[in-house]
């Protein structure tokens, strides 16, 4: 590449925090004009810190020294002072535009969208003439394809949907006519279909405004699908870089290889699951029939909200049934109903000849049959209880015949079962990583000797490589102990990794239910197809874009 | 908070994202000591509070003269070798009176703190854990009590109960229990909404067990912070009530009372105002620093959640 | 109007009612019966009977309460025992002085606390921050009467800049009024500033840690504008709530301060009335102060709700 092509050059960027930590240890890369560069890494890899340090956006109160050089469009931005430059400009354009992970948090709750845009215009000295100001605001919103720009201008952030908010954030970033657009996990907080739309928009804008951009993400498939070139970061350093396609087919660095291995592509034909006829012939363990859950209206003169609308699900011993849907699909309410934590307005959930209720007197029975694995392992364990004690509490309730010594021994055996060393029994949750905590949660669930495991987004708070291990553990436990498992998730990769059958929910109803292989290869419902199309993948075996 | 983003997952301000004191795993003596070092406010606070409590306990043995002994002919005496801090308008040794006054300064916050905890914590715990109608009623009552300015409560009670120690204690309990109840409730609600409490229900824990093993153990800290700053304020409140003449009565002694008596002779005997004033300021500041240090720990814990 | 605002106003009214009952009960729970307390040695059977009939003490308690409340609402606060003046007249004369004193003190305190708190928050962890927060803690440890005495000692006795006692009315001599009021106002300000500054700092810190601050910075908004406008605007509501609660401490401070300086406001009047057992004045004084506090807090809370567009939206939606 020639020098004039390079829009962004980062050389030997380092961040030293006052605490002594070095989240970024000498990062160098170039981005060419019009290119979209992807940076992939897990938590703690330094990928976000790299972005923030070079654009002068370290969070308030963080004391850090930034060294190295950042060059945008041939102009070096001053970092020599050790203080990152505040909002650097090159010519009459901003050096960077920034898109944040959480659009709701990134917008000021007290400002209307109009106020946000005006503030950005003022900052760039582009307030201009009062007469056409309104038209320019409307144009800025139309540029990011926001419908009804007039209404959006008058709105406060909380009145918009997640996708609309993210479009507003992008519009704000574009007001400075930046050379480089930096997007830090821009779609992590959004639903799959909305996320795809937002990324499509970024790519369209990139062409229209001849932008250069950097996309930071934990999701290798997503980056590989969207970007021309990809950097892999680990421990504050770049461990591998190259064209997206090369990286996906022949990763060089061992870390990249591990990451790629852990990344499940739902459309990978090798992941075919052979059904076990013995399991399929079993009678269901737990059956939900016509389950309906409604919440009372939040305001008068509104109808009650029907979260779950006549849903049937059944799970047998030894199989994993996935319930998939986007936010608002009713899958979480369904999970609560199955666990007896949410009263059912119609239909019933039956288990071992009994009906599941929210009745307090049934809890000991129910919790002995159905156990849960929670979404966030960081908050699912009592921070003031050693993990061994946490497991023993469950044993004390469900196996009261055990004395203290055998409870302790049994808790240790359960730690073995979930692949944790026995010495962990005296540790507190803070001393464990996310994946380890999730294993403790699983061990605690097993201590109740349940027949059904209910896992509500068990991997969404974990790093990719840890996700794969935990899913493998869950599948193994289902097979070894003949458990029935319901996996509630939005993530097709997790579904593909361990599920036998899938139920797709949308707006409280089941739109499609099928064995996993059939669903992936030949989805019949249009919503399922849209959902699958939005999943980033390099190996999609079908495409429905023409048919819709 | 998800673990996907390093800038949010690991708080760059506290390395490792783990709090050494609030983290129960490291409640070992040397770690606590190190934490005190890093948090000098709490340490300075303790350096003031511990001697104060010791003086209060040992007061009768420390006073150079009996605190109520009148030395005729030494009225309003300036500080000298015999009377290190001088004598008051009745010719009593000021140092001895201030030493005995420590008992009020230490005793009032302890008694008031204990009583407010006994009333406020159960109310707040039940309101926060049960929610529903009990919560609604309890919090309206709390709102009503919170809108009594403390001195008005004191004046109202003084008109019914008369001046004295009991007026001071009842006033402060009336003023502070609703604060304890509210902070307890809010803390309990915050903890109850944490997933580990739902998880406890999901493994089949009983309600009593959830409250004792999961909720209380995680919810007490904000109450502790409030309690310590409340105790600082109660020292000032007692001094104020005694200053106006509705609290402790002579010949008993309290620092506020001494200051009040001295303020009449401000130009003639400034030591009668200056020494009790300094004593109050130092102890209250110590208590405030201690409370503030605890508060810093609390906010750090909040960030790690 | 909205449910949240209506609920807040309801709580305000309920509180006022409870306070009125409590204050009414004061007179009925005095040691001994009220008439002998009020008349002391002057109690003859005739005056006793006359007073009983006058105050309706022979009627049931609820009826007495309603009559008393009715009188209050028509502006009849009774007659002072010691001065024989109508209490309403005393209130009208004394209360505005106290309110002016409180307002002046609060304004002085805010003048320091707002910029100080914002500065401390924006320089979090710096020497400036540590200095300001520790300074606030020191201020918070000062009793009003001690600060007042120190001011009197320094500026009144030693330097003789300001008079140490006495009073001139604002309407008669504004300069004289100010000379008499500066030290009391300063006293109130000194003891209020600490907590206010720390409140402003805490609200600002919460705001400055929000992602939208980063967005404003990434959009090139100047640092002072980010602090003063983007963060400051959102920090107003939480600060206001605390200022509202501070009014209670401010009132208590004003009463003590008036006593220190012999300032003839409602606070001093109340304390003297209590010492001379002038119960009609005590009753009305406490009631009026409490009512003032409740009304202030209700207004502050409603304004805070209005300032947050999220609650404001639900307010407007429910109209």
């Amino acid at each position: 590449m020639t020098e004039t092509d390079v829009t962004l050059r980062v050389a030997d960027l380092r961040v030293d925090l006052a605490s002594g930590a070095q989240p970024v240890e000498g990062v160098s890369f170039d981005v060419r004009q019009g290119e979209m560069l992807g940076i992939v890494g897990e938590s703690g890899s330094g990928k976000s810190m790299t972005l923030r340090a070079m654009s002068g956006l370290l969070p308030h109160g963080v004391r850090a020294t930034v060294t190295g050089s950042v060059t945008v469009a041939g102009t070096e931005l001053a970092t020599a002072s050790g203080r990152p430059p505040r909002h650097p400009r090159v010519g009459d354009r901003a050096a960077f535009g920034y898109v944040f992970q959480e659009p709701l948090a990134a917008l000021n709750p007290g400002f209307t969208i109009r106020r946000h845009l005006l503030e950005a215009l003022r900052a760039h000295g582009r307030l201009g003439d009062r007469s056409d100001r309104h038209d320019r605001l409307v144009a800025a919103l139309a540029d990011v394809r926001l419908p009804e720009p007039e209404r959006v201008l008058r709105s406060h952030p909380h009145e918009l949907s997640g996708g609309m908010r993210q479009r507003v954030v992008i519009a704000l970033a574009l007001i400075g006519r930046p050379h480089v657009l930096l997007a830090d996990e821009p779609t992590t907080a959004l639903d799959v279909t909305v996320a795809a739309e937002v990324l499509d928009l970024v790519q369209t804008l990139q062409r229209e405004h001849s932008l250069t951009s950097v996309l930071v993400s934990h999701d290798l498939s997503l980056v590989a699908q969207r970007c021309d070139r990809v950097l892999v970061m680990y421990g504050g350093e770049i461990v591998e870089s190259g064209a997206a396609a090369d990286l996906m087919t022949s990763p060089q660095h061992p870390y990249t290889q591990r990451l790629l291995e852990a990344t499940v592509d739902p459309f990978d034909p090798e992941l075919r699951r052979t059904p076990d006829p013995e399991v399929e012939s079993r009678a269901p363990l737990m059956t939900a029939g016509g389950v309906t859950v409604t919440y009372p209206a939040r305001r008068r003169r509104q109808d009650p909200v029907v979260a779950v609308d006549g849903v049937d699900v059944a799970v047998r011993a030894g199989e994993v049934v996935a319930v998939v849907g986007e936010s608002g699909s009713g899958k979480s309410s369904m999970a609560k109903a199955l666990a007896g934590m949410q009263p059912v307005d119609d239909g019933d959930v039956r288990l071992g000849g009994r009906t599941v209720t929210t009745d307090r007197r049934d809890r000991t029975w129910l919790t002995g049959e159905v156990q849960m694995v929670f979404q966030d392992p960081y908050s699912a364990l009592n921070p003031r209880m050693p993990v061994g004690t946490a497991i023993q509490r469950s044993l004390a309730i469900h196996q009261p015949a055990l004395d203290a010594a055998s409870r302790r021994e049994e808790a240790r055996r359960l730690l073995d079962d979930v692949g944790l060393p026995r010495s962990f029994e005296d540790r507190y949750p803070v001393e464990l990583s996310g994946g380890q905590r999730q294993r403790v949660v699983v061990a605690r669930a097993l201590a109740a000797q349940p027949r059904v495991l209910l896992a509500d987004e068990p991997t969404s708070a974990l790093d990719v490589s840890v996700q794969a291990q935990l899913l493998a553990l869950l599948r193994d436990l289902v097979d070894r102990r003949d458990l029935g498992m319901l996996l509630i998730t939005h993530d097709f990769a997790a579904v593909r990794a361990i599920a036998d059958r899938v139920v797709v929910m949308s707006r409280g109803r089941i739109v499609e239910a099928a064995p996993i292989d059939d669903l992936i290869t030949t989805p019949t419902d249009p919503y399922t197809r849209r959902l699958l199309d939005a999943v980033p993948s390099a190996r999609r075996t079908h495409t429905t874009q023409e048919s819709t | 908070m998800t673990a996907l983003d390093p800038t949010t997952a690991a708080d760059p301000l506290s390395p490792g994202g783990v709090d050494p004191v609030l983290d129960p795993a490291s409640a070992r003596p040397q770690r606590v000591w190190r934490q005190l070092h890093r948090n000098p406010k709490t340490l300075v606070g303790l350096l003031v509070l511990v001697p104060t409590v010791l003086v209060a306990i040992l007061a009768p043995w420390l006073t150079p003269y009996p605190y109520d002994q009148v030395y005729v002919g030494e009225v309003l005496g300036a500080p000298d070798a015999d009377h290190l801090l001088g004598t008051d308008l009745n010719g009593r040794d000021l140092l001895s009176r201030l030493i005995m006054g420590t008992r009020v300064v230490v005793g009032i916050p302890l008694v008031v703190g204990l009583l407010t905890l006994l009333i406020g914590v159960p109310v707040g715990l039940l309101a926060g854990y049960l929610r529903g109608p009990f919560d609604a009623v309890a919090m309206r009552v709390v709102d009503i009590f919170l809108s009594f300015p403390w001195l008005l409560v004191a004046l109202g009670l003084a008109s019914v109960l008369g001046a004295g120690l009991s007026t001071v204690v009842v006033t402060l309990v009336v003023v502070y229990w609703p604060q304890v109840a509210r902070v307890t409730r809010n803390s309990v609600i915050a903890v109850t909404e944490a997933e580990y409490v739902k998880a406890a229900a999901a493994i089949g824990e009983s309600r009593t067990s959830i409250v004792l093993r999961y909720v209380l153990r995680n919810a007490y800290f904000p109450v502790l912070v409030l309690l310590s700053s409340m105790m600082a304020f109660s020292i000032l409140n007692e001094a104020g009530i005694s200053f106006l003449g509705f609290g402790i009565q002579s010949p008993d002694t309290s620092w506020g009372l001494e200051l009040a008596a001295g303020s009449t002779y401000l130009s003639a005997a400034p030591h009668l105002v200056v020494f009790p004033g300094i004593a109050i300021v130092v102890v209250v500041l110590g208590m405030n620093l201690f409370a503030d240090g605890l508060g810093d720990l609390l906010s750090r814990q909040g960030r790690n959640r | 109007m909205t449910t949240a605002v209506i609920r807040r106003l309801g709580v305000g009214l309920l509180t006022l009612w409870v306070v009125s009952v409590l204050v009414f009960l004061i007179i009925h729970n005095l040691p001994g019966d009220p008439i002998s307390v009020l008349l002391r040695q002057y109690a003859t059977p005739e005056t006793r009977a006359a007073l009983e009939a006058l105050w309706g003490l022979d009627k049931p308690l609820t009826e007495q309460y309603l009559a008393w409340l009715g009188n209050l609402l028509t502006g009849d606060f009774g007659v002072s025992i010691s001065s024989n003046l109508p209490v309403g007249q005393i209130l009208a004369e004394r209360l505005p002085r106290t309110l002016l004193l409180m307002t002046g003190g609060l304004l002085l305190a805010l003048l320091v606390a707002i910029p100080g708190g914002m500065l401390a928050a924006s320089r979090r962890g710096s020497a400036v921050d540590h200095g300001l927060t520790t300074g606030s803690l020191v201020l918070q440890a000062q009793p009003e009467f001690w600060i007042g005495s120190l001011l009197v000692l320094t500026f009144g006795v030693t330097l003789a800049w300001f008079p140490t006692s006495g009073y001139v009315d604002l309407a008669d001599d504004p300069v004289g009024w100010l000379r008499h009021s500066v030290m009391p106002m300063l006293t109130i300000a000194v003891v209020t500033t600490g907590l206010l500054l720390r409140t402003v700092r805490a609200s600002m810190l919460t705001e400055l840690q929000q992602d939208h601050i980063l967005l404003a910075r990434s959009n090139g908004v100047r640092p002072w504008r980010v602090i003063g406008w983007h963060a400051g605007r959102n920090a107003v509501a939480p600060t206001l709530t605390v200022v509202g609660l501070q009014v209670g401490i401010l009132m208590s401070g004003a009463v003590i301060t008036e006593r220190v300086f012999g300032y003839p406001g409602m606070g001093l009047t109340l304390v003297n009335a209590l010492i001379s057992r002038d119960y009609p004045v005590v009753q009305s004084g406490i009631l009026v102060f409490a009512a003032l506090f409740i009304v202030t807090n209700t207004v502050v809370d409603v304004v805070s709700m209005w300032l947050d567009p999220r609650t404001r939206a639900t307010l407007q939606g429910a109209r």
Side-chain angles (χ1 to χ4, degrees), chain B residues 27-42:
Chain B
R28 289 145 197 149
Q30 67 274 29
R31 301 260 190 114
V32 172
W33 182 244
R34 207 177 61 202
Q35 182 63 21
L36 281 179
H37 263 286
R38 278 207 304 187
N39 193 331
K41 282 187 210 160
T42 320

Side-chain angles (χ1 to χ4, degrees), chain A residues 262-266 271 273 320-324 455-460 464 467-468 470-472 474-475 485 487-502 516 520 535:
Chain A
T263 307
V264 176
D265 186 330
L271 284 171
R273 180 170 289 284
V320 177
V321 176
V323 179
V324 182
D456 189 359
E457 305 272 10
T459 55
S460 64
V464 181
Q467 285 183 8
L470 190 86
L471 288 170
L474 288 174
R475 182 72 228 187
M485 180 166 146
L487 173 69
I488 320 292
T489 186
H490 70 281
D491 180 7
F492 266 106
V495 172
R496 175 79 263 196
I498 63 168
D500 299 293
R501 291 188 295 123
V502 188
I516 177 70
I520 295 282
V535 174

Side-chain angles (χ1 to χ4, degrees), chain A residues 8 12 28 32 36 76 112 169-170 187 258 290 300 304 337 351-352 358 364 377 381 407 432 438 460 505 516:
Chain A
L8 169 66
D12 201 28
S28 308
R32 275 168 296 175
M36 183 185 252
E76 167 142 9
T112 58
V169 172
I170 295 171
T187 58
R258 277 217 312 280
R300 266 173 298 156
L351 172 69
T358 52
T364 315
L381 292 168
R407 263 211 304 275
L432 270 52
Q438 199 62 305
S460 64
M505 281 185 73
I516 177 70

Side-chain angles (χ1 to χ4, degrees), chain A residues 383-384 427-431, chain B residues 17-28 31-32 301 304:
Chain A
R384 289 179 191 273
R427 297 215 184 170
Y428 285 87
V430 277
E431 297 174 298
Chain B
V18 174
D19 190 293
V21 156
L22 293 175
D23 157 20
S26 44
R28 289 145 197 149
R31 301 260 190 114
V32 172
Q301 184 193 37
N304 286 336

